[in-house]
Every structure is written in structure tokens, then in C-alpha cells.
Amino acid sequence: MSDDNSDDLTGNLDTPPAAPDELPAYLVDAIERQGPDRLRLVSNYALSLAGWKERQTEQEVSEQAEQEPDDVPDEWDEDDWEEVKEEAIDKAEIAPTKGTITTKTISGNDYYYLQWREGDKVRSQYIAPVSPSKNS
């Protein structure tokens, strides 16, 4: 599948292009019933919507960012923090310079997570509780 918006003029006219396997059948069926003009409208809308969703996700991650990855939280000893942070980076299998530290509240408790972008998805890796006394 090409990333540009040009038509595939070299394809076989006897069979339509194959839909990506990742698309659900109900969506493929609905798209295949549309004419060329409406398909172009759907294409433009889908690209605009994808861009908007990516920007929304980036904004959410930046709003959640509580500190720079190199900053040591007030509640933590520097050596202990570096150890749990390095373990999270190793588990995430990302570069040490990639990612943002965020805080998530789960069942009334606050936890640090490392978040980074992989393509159009935001990934998370648990680091530790905000309070080191809850660190197990």
C-alpha cells in the first residue's frame, strides 16, 4: 500500500486492490460499495482524522509529563530512582533518551510510568510507585 494519494494505474482492471488484512470486514464492505468520488472524500477524511488523533495523543502525553526523565522525584533516593528507571527502560527496550515520565492513578494509588511513541501508538512501561515506601 502506497503512502501517497495517487491512483494505482498499473493494477489489474479485472480485480480491485486487496484490502489490508487489519481492516474489519464490515468496513471493507462499506468502502467497496462507494463510488470513486465518495472514496476520495473518505480517504481525505480518514487522513485528517488520523492526523487529529495523533495530535490528540501527543497532547495527552505532554500534558501528563510530570518531569524530565533525568530528574529525581523528591520522594526518591537518587540511586534507587536510577535503578528502577533503568529497569523500566531495559524492559521497554527503548533508548535511555526516549520517553517521558508520567504519573497514573490506579485504585487511588499513584505510579510512575515511562511513555513513548511507536508509530501511531503510545506505549507505557511501569516504573514504580510515586512513594518509594510502597516500592516492592
Side-chain angles (χ1 to χ4, degrees), residues 98-116:
K98 191 174 181 181
T100 302
I101 306 274
T102 62
T103 303
K104 293 184 181 184
T105 302
I106 302 170
S107 299
N109 296 308
D110 294 328
Y111 301 94
Y112 287 120
Y113 280 82
L114 178 66
Q115 290 189 320
W116 68 98

Side-chain angles (χ1 to χ4, degrees), residues 18-29:
D21 292 338
E22 298 85 5
L23 287 181
Y26 75 90
L27 188 57
V28 172
D29 293 341

